[in-house]
Structure formats: structure tokens, C-alpha cells
Amino acid sequence: LNLLNSKMDADNQNANCLIWPITDISGATIENGSVVANESDSVNVGVNWINRVSSTETKSYNFETRYETDVFTLTGIVGYTEAEGGTFRETSWEYVAAGSNASFDLTAPSLVSDPAPSDASAFTAGWIWGGSKPTTDEETYAQVDLVFPVELGAFNAIKVGAKVRDAERSQDRLAYSWHGAPSNGAGGYMWHIFDQCPNLATCGLDALGVQSVDAPVGGNFLDVVKQNRAVMEEIAFVGLNGRPATYAIWNNLPEIWTVEEKITALYVQGDFESDSISGNLGLRYVDTSQTSGGYDYTGSGLQLVNVSEIDPAWAALVSPPTDTVNWTTVDNDYSEILPSVNIKYDLNDDMALRFSAARVMARQNQASLSAFETAGALNVPNPTGSAGNPLLKPTFANQYDLSYEWYLAEASIVSVAYFFKDISSYIGTETYVDARLREEDNTMVDVTFNKPTNAQGGNVTGLELAATHTFDSGFGLTANYTYTDAETDDPEAYTPGVSENMYNLSAFYENDLLSARVMYNFRTDWYKGKHSNGNDLFNDDFGQVDATISFNLMEGLSLNFEALNLTDEEITEYADDNESRLMSMYEDGRRFTAGIRYTF
């Protein structure tokens, strides 16, 4: 019986520094058709803060039992897991310095503006928005497996089993708005805030001083006003200078969704062994039933429904007629038979050949299957957004592996493997245009949405070399290298997730009291799919050093330490297979964990 309860508070503040619009590139530095450095006059420099009150809680219950007789072995599992979390309150403010000068350089990433983002008095009121985005996730499952020892020619065991899963994931989305005019005749509360707090140097919003950000870029954008979160939330939700806070709360229909998934799987497998040949033959049947739910507000052009009791008069501001809003569901059902075979042939006591073939499937994640839409900034040219697709089918592949293994010693091996995968469908992207409300001027603007779709497939071929050697002293080394050649049936498409070259190196030491390992993992660049703005997104070469160590304090009791990314590597993304088009850089830092385990 395994019981788990985990809670985590994750309140956070996110700061964004922005410049727009950049229209003059006459003096820009251009590489590979992309602007990589430029200096602009008379642009807007914006600084916004997104304050989130967030948490997660996970509960899991799992019971497993095993019953053995001379005739069969029965294993049964039942379980239930649930989680809830996300952002339960979000408050976001933006302040802007219009008519500024700004320059950027993506070759040695830096961003500089005049006035600087640390000059609180230079940034005047821009906009306020907020909301909440809680999510829930639950699943009930059961599994039974039976093993029958047999003597049917070369077959020595027959295995059968079944598994059922019933899962549901949902997301809610509320939008807050402070800008509308309430029914008592007073002006919108947001305009009152901006009148009383015209820039960041007033109302105590800059009372915490300047925040110096440790980031993998340069320029004065790394020194920004640290907005006073407590003051901000007091103003937004309580009141300011004698006026109570008033704001509208809407259901943001395109971002509210549920996905239900019911899966039934049955399998039969036969294990065989005869002289120098052993292996198994298997057949799996999988039935999947998915239902995606979301709001249909066709014909209204609007997607916000007022749910606020603070001032219902605001409902008329943007809410569509209620008779145009309906909860609708889309079903996506499919069944598949998945055969497999695994064969091992012993060349001698130290060498073996292995062959395997199988038809496999990978379902799409539930967020991609949801009926969601979310748009980015609407005050820019050609705004973009992203959406889900409830009719996505799994990715299917027929895969084959052939390997040679040579066991040099009891804990030493050298191997080489060839693999081939014939993939029926990758995930592609299709676009459509829909209108969304721009609150700043209460107008509808066209947004180009990108949503995933089942596209043409391709094939993946590769070769893997691996070696492990353990010395008598307890020290050991392991290494592997994989070369992968991926092709798609669509010449305009990229193969997602595949690096041409990958290798892993590890050194370890083990005895009865201590187990320690240092690892270096590296892969060349790979395609990550479409960015929300429609660009093809690539990850640059990446490698990192990790380490683990475990002490056996006494029988059954161990102390464990883990360190990830010891060399503090950065993750770099670029657009459209063009390294000059820097998209983002992440410095996630080093991560350390410690734990203690007792087994009895």
C-alpha cells in the first residue's frame, strides 16, 4: 500500500521588459536575413509585473497484491490519484516610458534603454489585468496480470492481463478587469489608480528599491524596479485613498476546458526458450475513448461572460448574449492492435544477438487535446495565439531493433545497436484567424491561431554504441553514443525531438557503504515544434553535468544526495533553423536535493 500527499506553495512574481514598435532598421546589423542588433529612437519601453498566488496539492493511493500457486501467479493493482493547483489569483500591472531610446544585440545578448528600467519616475501608468487559472487532474485505474507456467514446445510461460484507466483533467479561467465604469456613475477604478499613482515612484510601488537580476544577458534591463507586491494587491483588491476597489470578473470561455479519457488495454504474451534462443511474442489491444469539452460562443464574437457580484452592470461591457454560449463536447475514439516480438540468440557464453519488432503508439497530451484558445499581446501588429485540437490522433510507429552484446566480465559490456522507426504521423501545425477583444480600445482584432494537427510521418534510423566496465576496486566507467538520421515525408517539415548526435559519459564508485556517480549528458540541436507566435522553434546544443551519492547508514537505511546541472548550463532557443534568430535563453541554475530512505 502506497499513500502520498504532497503540497507546495509556489507564489511568484514575473517581470517582463519590452520595447515596441521597432520600425527603423536602416542602421541594423543583419546576419542570415535576421536583424541581430539595432538602435531605435522614439519607442515604447514597457515594464510589467505578473504577481501570482499559486499552489499545488497531489494525493495518490495505490494498492498492489500478489498471489502465487503452482498453477499461476496473480498480480493485481488498484489506485486513485488526484491533483489540484495552478494560479488562484493573478494581478498584473504595466508601466510605460514612451518616446524612449533602446538598443539590443543578440550576438552577445544585451538590452539597453534610456530611460533605464530602474528609473521609477520615468515609467507612467499603462494597464492592469489579472485573473486565475486553477486546474484539476484525477485518475482511477486497475490492473490484473496472470502468469501461467506451461510446457508447450518451446513456450514456458503464458501471460495475460488487462488494465483500465479513467482520467479527467480540467482547467478553469477567470479574467479580472479594473478598467470598466461601474453603475454608480464613477469612472473606472483603474483610471482612479492611475490618477493617484501616475508613475512607479508614487504610492509606494517602488518602496522595495531596485532588483538586480542574475541572467545570461547584459544591459541595464537587468536592473529594474522591484514592484511592491503587497501594495499592489492592497490597491487592486481593497482600495486606494478612500475609494473601495471595484473590478469585474469574467469567465474567459476559450481557456475553460475539460478532457476525459477512458482506456482499456488487454494483452497476451508467450515466453519461449530453446537451446540458445529465447524471447517472447505478444499482442496488445488498446481501446481509447476521449471527450473534450469547452464553450461554443459562435456568432457573438465575444468570449467573456460576467460572473461578478461586485458590479453586475459591467456585464454589458463585453459579455455575449447568453443564448449564444453553450457547453459542447467532441468525442475522439480509436482502437488499435499492437503486436511485438523480442528474440535473443546466444552466440556463446559471452556474446548475444537481440532482435525486436513492435508496433507502438503515443497518445497526445491532454492539454493539446483540449478545446482551449489563448492569445498573446493584442496591441502588436499581426497578433498570434495558440489552440488545442480535440481530434488529434496518436502517433503510431513500426519499430525494429537489432543489437550485438559482448559481456567482457561480470559487470562489463560492449554493445552496438541499429534501430529503425517508421512513423505514421508527426504533429504538425495549422492556422486559422479569429477575432478577439482588445480591452484597451474595446475593439475586436483578428488573431492568427496555431493549433496542432496530425501531419505526414517519416522514418528515423540510427546507430548506438555503448560500453560499461567495472574495475575490481569498485570504480567503473560507462559511455554511450547515438547517431540518428531522421526524415519526414513532408519536405517542408522538421522531425520533432530528434538530435543527430547524443552521448553520455559516467564515472561511478560502489561498495557496501557508498554509491557515487558523476554523469555528463550531451545532445546536438533539435526541433521543439511551433512557438505560439508561429515560428519553428529549435533548441541549441546542450550538455550538463549531474552527480548522485548514496550512503548506507545501516541495514535498510540510506542517505541520498543529488545535484543537477553542476556547471550551470544555459538553454538557448532560436527560430526557423536560423541560429541568428535568438528566441530565448534560460538559466535555470543548479538544483540540489537530499533524502533519507528506510526499507524494512
Side-chain angles (χ1 to χ4, degrees):
L1 177 65
N2 294 293
L3 306 176
L4 170 69
N5 185 272
S6 173
K7 295 182 179 182
M8 179 175 69
D9 292 328
D11 294 353
N12 61 92
Q13 184 181 62
N14 185 86
N16 298 303
C17 300
L18 315 163
I19 55 174
W20 78 92
I22 299 174
T23 56
D24 181 8
I25 59 170
S26 57
T29 301
I30 298 177
E31 292 182 1
N32 300 322
S34 294
V35 175
V36 297
N38 192 41
E39 184 171 350
S40 300
D41 298 328
S42 300
V43 294
N44 296 318
V45 175
V47 181
N48 65 53
W49 292 264
I50 302 174
N51 294 280
R52 302 182 183 95
V53 176
S54 303
S55 64
T56 62
E57 181 174 5
T58 301
K59 298 177 181 179
S60 178
Y61 315 94
N62 186 87
F63 178 71
E64 181 175 347
T65 185
R66 181 182 177 92
Y67 180 69
E68 294 187 41
T69 73
D70 294 336
V71 180
F72 65 88
T73 299
L74 170 67
T75 303
I77 301 173
V78 293
Y80 173 76
T81 180
E82 65 174 333
E84 59 181 16
T87 298
F88 293 96
R89 188 174 72 246
E90 174 189 303
T91 318
S92 308
W93 290 23
E94 182 169 273
Y95 281 74
V96 180
S100 300
N101 299 325
S103 62
F104 67 88
D105 185 348
L106 302 183
T107 60
S110 66
L111 188 58
V112 177
S113 71
D114 182 19
S118 59
D119 184 356
S121 62
F123 285 81
T124 58
W127 201 257
I128 298 176
W129 68 97
S132 64
K133 187 187 287 188
T135 62
T136 63
D137 200 342
E138 62 178 330
E139 180 178 320
T140 303
Y141 56 90
Q143 179 174 338
V144 61
D145 298 280
L146 277 164
V147 179
F148 298 95
V150 297
E151 294 181 6
L152 297 174
F155 286 91
N156 54 33
I158 300 296
K159 301 176 180 179
V160 296
K163 183 174 184 178
V164 293
R165 292 170 46 199
D166 189 347
E168 180 176 337
R169 185 176 179 184
S170 67
Q171 176 180 287
D172 199 4
R173 179 59 162 160
L174 294 177
Y176 302 164
S177 178
W178 286 263
H179 76 283
S183 56
N184 61 11
Y189 183 61
M190 186 176 78
W191 313 118
H192 171 72
I193 295 173
F194 290 164
D195 178 66
Q196 300 293 307
C197 313
N199 59 52
L200 273 170
T202 54
C203 297
L205 291 169
D206 65 340
L208 301 181
V210 174
Q211 171 85 40
S212 295
V213 181
D214 180 15
V217 295
N220 65 4
F221 263 50
L222 296 183
D223 296 316
V224 299
V225 174
K226 185 175 183 180
Q227 191 198 41
N228 192 327
R229 174 178 182 147
V231 170
M232 173 181 175
E233 294 205 333
E234 175 80 12
I235 293 173
F237 296 108
V238 180
L240 175 64
N241 293 343
R243 178 171 171 175
T246 52
Y247 54 95
I249 303 176
W250 285 295
N251 276 323
N252 190 356
L253 303 183
E255 295 185 54
I256 300 174
W257 53 265
T258 64
V259 174
E260 299 177 41
E261 187 173 65
K262 296 182 179 181
I263 299 170
T264 301
L266 309 173
Y267 79 88
V268 59
Q269 177 180 305
D271 295 351
F272 59 86
E273 184 173 2
S274 177
D275 297 328
S276 57
I277 296 179
S278 60
N280 59 66
L281 295 169
L283 194 66
R284 181 180 295 269
Y285 169 78
V286 182
D287 180 76
T288 305
S289 175
Q290 297 167 335
T291 302
S292 298
Y295 281 106
D296 179 11
Y297 43 92
T298 304
S300 67
L302 300 170
Q303 61 280 329
L304 298 173
V305 174
N306 184 270
V307 295
S308 171
E309 295 182 0
I310 295 177
D311 198 326
W314 282 2
L317 184 64
V318 294
S319 290
T322 55
D323 59 358
T324 67
V325 177
N326 298 287
W327 182 263
T328 61
T329 59
V330 176
D331 293 330
N332 185 23
D333 303 332
Y334 49 88
S335 300
E336 190 72 17
I337 295 177
L338 306 172
S340 67
V341 57
N342 296 278
I343 301 174
K344 178 188 177 185
Y345 177 67
D346 294 320
L347 297 170
N348 54 43
D349 291 342
D350 301 325
M351 300 180 186
L353 291 175
R354 294 182 186 271
F355 171 77
S356 66
R359 179 165 175 79
V360 297
M361 61 178 280
R363 297 180 185 87
Q364 314 308 334
N365 67 68
Q366 291 170 320
S368 297
L369 289 165
S370 68
F372 87 95
E373 284 183 348
T374 181
L378 301 181
N379 59 350
V380 299
N382 306 314
T384 60
S386 56
N389 182 357
L391 296 177
L392 277 180
K393 297 297 185 182
T395 296
F396 294 98
N398 298 321
Q399 60 184 32
Y400 309 89
D401 296 86
L402 178 64
S403 65
Y404 164 77
E405 301 171 349
W406 177 23
Y407 297 89
L408 295 86
E410 184 177 352
S412 300
I413 182 177
V414 173
S415 66
V416 56
Y418 167 83
F419 58 86
F420 175 80
K421 302 176 187 291
D422 180 11
I423 300 172
S424 62
S425 172
Y426 287 113
I427 296 301
T429 301
E430 63 181 37
T431 62
Y432 63 94
V433 177
D434 197 11
R436 298 293 288 269
L437 177 72
R438 184 168 60 200
E439 290 186 6
E440 285 88 337
D441 54 9
N442 204 31
T443 60
M444 303 298 293
V445 296
D446 286 339
V447 179
T448 300
F449 288 93
N450 299 285
K451 76 172 184 178
T453 185
N454 291 106
Q456 296 184 55
N459 58 70
V460 178
T461 307
L463 187 68
E464 183 180 67
L465 306 174
T468 298
H469 184 67
T470 303
F471 300 93
D472 294 338
S473 60
F475 284 98
L477 300 171
T478 181
N480 64 68
Y481 165 76
T482 303
Y483 169 78
T484 305
D485 179 32
E487 297 180 355
T488 62
D489 296 334
D490 181 356
E492 302 294 323
Y494 300 101
T495 306
V498 177
S499 295
E500 185 175 51
N501 297 286
M502 298 175 61
Y503 63 85
N504 305 283
L505 305 172
S506 177
F508 59 88
Y509 176 78
E510 293 183 359
N511 60 27
D512 292 339
L513 299 177
L514 172 69
S515 175
R517 183 179 296 268
V518 178
M519 300 149 285
Y520 178 70
N521 308 302
F522 175 84
R523 61 186 298 189
T524 53
D525 60 338
W526 68 96
Y527 177 56
K528 304 181 78 170
K530 289 285 186 180
H531 191 274
S532 59
N533 64 10
N535 290 111
D536 287 307
L537 187 64
F538 289 80
N539 203 107
D540 202 1
D541 299 353
F542 182 77
Q544 72 177 45
V545 177
D546 305 323
T548 63
I549 187 169
S550 176
F551 298 96
N552 294 319
L553 302 178
M554 56 180 288
E555 184 176 356
L557 182 64
S558 63
L559 186 62
N560 308 288
F561 298 95
E562 182 179 38
L564 300 178
N565 195 21
L566 280 170
T567 51
D568 199 15
E569 299 294 331
E570 300 164 4
I571 298 172
T572 302
E573 296 176 335
Y574 55 89
D576 300 333
D577 203 14
N578 183 347
E579 294 185 14
S580 298
R581 300 199 67 187
L582 179 66
M583 181 71 78
S584 56
M585 298 179 69
Y586 297 95
E587 191 176 69
D588 293 331
R590 304 173 180 88
R591 299 184 296 283
F592 303 93
T593 60
I596 190 167
R597 171 171 291 185
Y598 182 62
T599 304
F600 59 92

